[in-house]
Amino acid sequence: MSPEIRARQITHRMALLALLALLAAAAFLLLNARGSWDFLLPFRGRKLAALAVVAVAIALSTVVFQTVTQNRILTPAIMGFDALYVLIQTGLVFGLGAGRVSALDARLVFGLELGAMVVFALLLFRWMFGPAARNLHLLMLVGIVLGTLFRSIAGFLQRIIDPDSFTVLQDRLFASFNAVDPGLLTLSALIVAGLALILWRLVPELDVLALGREAAVGLGVPQERLVLGLLVIVTLLVALSTALVGPVTFLGLLVANLAYLLLPTGRHAVLLPAAALIALITLIGGQALLERVLHYDTALAVVVEFAGGLVFILLVIRGVAR
Amino acid sequence: MIEVEGVERRYDGVAVLSEVTLSLPKGGLTAIIGPNGAGKSTLLSVMGRLQKPDAGRVTLEGMHLAQAPGRAVAKKLAMLRQDNHTAARLTVRDLVAFGRYPHCRGNPGPEDQAQIDRALAILGLEPLADRFLDQLSGGQRQRAHIAMVLAQDTGCILLDEPLNNLDISHAVRIITLVREAAQALGKTVVVVLHDINMAAAHCDRIVVMKGGRILRHGTPAELMQADFLSAVYETPISVHELAGRLVAVY
C-alpha cells in the first residue's frame, strides 16, 4: 500500500471517528427527551462534559503509558489506582461514618483522593527509576501486590462495617456520572486540557520513545527525565478521572488497542486523538444506550465492556485472518 | 575523535569493563573483536551513551557525552544496537525518518527527505520502503536499522554487529559502504565484528578485547598473528596469506 493511500485511509477513519463521536453526543443529549429543554439540556450537558473529560483522560493516559512501557496490554490501572480509590472511600466511611462522609465537602474528598493517588504513584515510579530497580515486571508485580493488599484491607473493613454504611459505600464505589460537582468538573476539564496540550507538544518525543529506551537515547531524547514527566502526567490523568467518577478500568485498554488496530501507524499525532475519539464514542454512546434504551437497568461498565469486548474480539479475529 | 578514559562498568558487582582507555582519531574504520563476553557491546554502548559508565568518561571532539545535551550529541554520533526490536507499527520509511529526529524534531524538511531517500537507496531498500517492519526478514530489518543510522548523518557511527543476519552479498556491501563512509567522507566508524577475516580485510584498526579489558590495539597486520589470536580465542588459529590478504583459519 502506498503512503498516499495509507494517509488517505487514516484521514478517512479519523473523520469517521469524529463523526461517530458527534453522533453519540447528539444521541445522548437529544434522545428520549421528555420534559422541559431548559432543564434537560444543562443537566445532560453537564453529564456529557463529565463523560468527555473522563474519556479523554483515560484514552490519553493509557496510550502514553503503553508507549512509555513498550507494552500494549498494560494500563495504568495495573498500578493499583482503582484499589487505592476503593480503600480511600472505604476508609472514609469506616472512620467517619456514612453520615459524616456524605456531608463532607466534595472538593475536599476529591482533593484528598487526587493527592493520595498522585503521591502513591510517584513513590512507586521514584522507586522504579531509582538506583534499586528499573525493571518493568517488578513494577507490575509490586502494583498488583499493593492493589491486592489495598483491596483486601478494604474488603476487611467492608465486612465489619454496619450494613447501612455499606450501602452508602457501595453506591460511592460504582463509577457514576450523575453526581459530579460542577466546580470540580470545570477544574478537571481545565487540568485535562492543559495536560493534553503538553502531550500534544511532546508528540515527536513520544514517537521516538515508542522505538524503545535505547533507540530514544541514541536519537537524543532526554529519556529518563521525559519518562518520569510522562508518568506524572499519566498519574494525574488517571487519578483525576478516578476521583471524578470512580474506577473505569477496562476502557483504557479497549480504546488504546482499538486505536492501534484501526489506524496502522506509530504516529502519536494520530494515535492520541484517535484513542480519545474512540473513548468518547464508547463512553458517551454506552451511557446513551444505558440511559435511553436500557433505562438504567444495568451499570455503565457492563455496557462498555460488553460492547467493547465484542468489537475487540471482532477486530482481533479480522486482524488474524488478514 | 573519540576518547574513552578509564571507563569501568559493573553489573551486580561483576566488572564487565575495567579501566578501558582508548583513543580513536577522526576518520577511519575501527573494528572491535574478541570472544563472547569480552565487553565489546558494553564498550560500544558506553561510547554511544546508552549506558552510563560507573567510572571514567567518554568524550567526542571534546564534548563530554554523559553531560552534553542529548540532541546535540545525536547530531554527531549515531549507534546501531545489536537487538533492534520495536513494538510500534512502523514502515521502513517511518523508521529511517526517525534518524532525522535530532535534526528536525519530527518535522522533516526537504533536506531531511533527501537524506532519508539517500539512506534508503544506499541500502537498496526502496522496494521495501512502504512495508511494515514486521513484514520483513531479519536481514531486511537489519538493513532498515542501518539506513536509519545513516540518515542520522553523523560524524561518528557506532555499529554493534551490523553484519548479523545478512547474507554474504549484503554483508560485503555494507562493510564496503561503511569503509567508504570512513575513507571518503572522513567519518569515524567503530564496528563490533565476530568475523576476524572481515575485520582484517576491511578495517584500518582493530581493537582486541577480552575479559573486559583491551588486550591490544593496532593495524590488522600487527594483530593477525596466530599465537596471539589462538590465545585470545583459546582455540588453535593459524594465519595465512591468501590473495594478498591475511586470513585466519580455525
Side-chain angles (χ1 to χ4, degrees):
Chain A
M1 218 190 291
S2 81
E4 290 76 30
I5 297 178
R6 201 173 282 148
R8 213 175 317 139
Q9 188 187 26
I10 286 173
T11 319
H12 282 168
R13 290 189 176 171
M14 288 298 282
L16 187 68
L17 287 178
L19 188 70
L20 283 175
L22 280 178
L23 276 180
F28 182 79
L29 280 179
L30 305 176
L31 231 58
N32 263 5
R34 251 170 279 147
S36 144
W37 285 106
D38 292 344
F39 165 74
L40 214 57
L41 277 187
F43 176 71
R44 287 186 176 180
R46 207 156 49 230
K47 229 154 124 179
L48 182 69
L51 287 164
V53 168
V54 169
V56 171
I58 288 178
L60 296 185
S61 62
T62 310
V63 172
V64 171
F65 187 76
Q66 296 192 339
T67 294
V68 167
T69 56
Q70 292 261 297
N71 189 313
R72 291 189 162 180
I73 51 169
L74 281 184
T75 70
I78 197 94
M79 321 283 234
F81 282 117
D82 298 5
L84 187 61
Y85 176 81
V86 171
L87 180 61
I88 293 172
Q89 293 286 351
T90 311
L92 276 179
V93 173
F94 183 80
L96 299 177
R100 247 179 292 172
V101 171
S102 301
L104 276 182
D105 188 355
R107 262 159 285 183
L108 183 72
V109 179
F110 180 78
L112 181 75
E113 286 161 0
L114 199 63
M117 282 187 265
V118 170
V119 168
F120 166 69
L122 289 184
L123 284 176
L124 207 58
F125 296 153
R126 231 192 120 65
W127 179 71
M128 171 189 171
F129 289 99
R134 46 183 66 232
N135 187 333
L136 185 69
H137 295 109
L138 200 61
L139 176 83
M140 281 170 58
L141 277 176
V142 170
I144 292 168
V145 168
L146 285 179
T148 312
L149 176 70
F150 294 157
R151 225 164 279 139
S152 306
I153 297 174
F156 173 68
L157 292 179
Q158 284 167 10
R159 243 162 240 141
I160 56 177
I161 223 167
D162 74 272
D164 286 344
S165 300
F166 182 71
T167 319
V168 174
L169 178 63
Q170 208 172 28
D171 190 43
R172 296 178 74 96
L173 290 181
F174 279 124
S176 161
F177 295 90
N178 294 322
V180 176
D181 183 280
L184 290 182
L185 182 58
T186 317
L187 181 68
S188 310
L190 285 176
I191 298 177
V192 170
L195 294 175
L197 200 69
I198 297 176
L199 287 178
W200 189 250
R201 302 192 52 171
L202 288 174
V203 154
E205 280 70 30
L206 281 166
D207 288 349
V208 174
L209 270 186
L211 292 179
R213 188 197 88 86
E214 297 196 322
V217 174
L219 289 173
V221 169
Q223 198 262 348
E224 274 175 38
R225 254 192 8 239
L226 185 64
V227 165
L228 197 62
L230 287 172
L231 286 178
V232 171
I233 293 177
V234 167
T235 308
L236 277 170
L237 287 171
V238 175
L240 209 81
S241 79
T242 312
L244 203 58
V245 300
V248 196
T249 327
F250 185 60
L251 186 72
L253 183 68
L254 174 76
V255 298
N257 278 289
L258 281 179
Y260 305 142
L261 282 169
L262 285 176
L263 298 150
T265 173
R267 288 170 48 220
H268 285 78
V270 175
L271 290 178
L272 287 175
L277 284 174
I278 295 171
L280 286 170
I281 296 166
T282 330
L283 212 51
I284 297 174
Q287 187 76 14
L289 197 68
L290 173 72
E291 294 188 6
R292 313 283 178 263
V293 182
L294 301 173
H295 305 290
Y296 291 99
D297 278 346
T298 179
L300 176 66
V302 176
V303 177
V304 169
E305 292 184 15
F306 179 71
L310 279 184
V311 177
F312 192 57
I313 291 169
L314 202 74
L315 278 168
V316 169
I317 292 172
R318 271 193 53 199
V320 170
R322 217 180 317 138
Chain B
M1 89 181 253
I2 187 160
E3 298 212 48
V4 180
E5 295 165 50
V7 162
E8 300 203 7
R9 174 85 187 137
R10 283 178 289 273
Y11 293 128
D12 296 329
V14 180
V16 185
L17 291 177
S18 29
E19 295 198 26
V20 172
T21 297
L22 180 66
S23 173
L24 297 173
K26 193 173 161 55
L29 178 55
T30 305
I32 303 179
I33 64 169
N36 290 145
K40 308 182 291 287
S41 290
T42 307
L43 176 60
L44 212 65
S45 291
V46 171
M47 287 167 79
R49 71 172 176 349
L50 300 188
Q51 291 187 24
K52 288 196 184 105
D54 294 314
R57 61 178 195 160
V58 181
T59 54
L60 175 70
E61 290 162 19
M63 188 165 61
H64 189 169
L65 284 194
Q67 287 163 7
R71 266 172 70 199
V73 176
K75 285 182 192 172
K76 298 191 165 190
L77 178 135
M79 170 152 182
L80 172 81
R81 293 161 304 134
Q82 214 180 108
D83 171 34
N84 287 303
H85 177 74
T86 17
R89 194 155 162 74
L90 298 172
T91 63
V92 172
R93 187 185 295 279
D94 291 340
L95 181 78
V96 177
F98 274 117
R100 300 306 297 168
Y101 167 84
H103 303 272
C104 69
R105 225 192 133 230
N107 196 3
E111 156 74 2
D112 300 303
Q113 284 301 345
Q115 290 277 4
I116 294 166
D117 291 338
R118 197 180 63 101
L120 286 169
I122 288 176
L123 284 143
L125 287 167
E126 285 139 323
L128 304 173
D130 296 311
R131 291 264 287 275
F132 284 105
L133 287 179
D134 52 13
Q135 299 167 342
L136 301 182
S137 74
Q140 291 168 332
R141 211 173 304 146
Q142 177 79 347
R143 274 153 59 204
H145 280 98
I146 294 173
M148 171 178 149
V149 168
L150 287 188
Q152 212 172 324
D153 191 30
T154 53
C156 181
I157 301 176
L158 310 177
L159 304 167
D160 196 351
E161 304 203 12
L163 308 184
N164 264 6
N165 292 321
L166 296 183
D167 57 31
I168 296 174
S169 124
H170 281 109
V172 170
R173 258 174 73 183
I174 282 170
I175 197 80
T176 315
L177 166 85
V178 164
R179 187 171 58 170
E180 276 167 10
Q183 282 170 353
L185 305 175
K187 292 184 190 278
T188 314
V189 187
V190 185
V191 287
V192 169
L193 288 180
H194 265 302
D195 186 341
I196 318 175
N197 293 328
M198 199 63 119
H202 296 280
C203 298
D204 302 311
R205 280 176 299 274
I206 296 181
V207 175
V208 184
M209 291 187 73
K210 190 176 184 184
R213 295 172 189 277
I214 292 181
L215 294 184
R216 281 174 72 179
H217 174 196
T219 64
E222 288 166 1
L223 297 179
M224 289 296 278
Q225 290 164 2
D227 302 348
F228 175 61
L229 291 179
S230 302
V232 168
Y233 286 96
E234 294 168 19
T235 304
I237 295 177
S238 57
V239 176
H240 306 274
E241 193 165 331
L242 203 68
R245 283 180 182 176
L246 289 171
V247 177
V249 177
Y250 38 86

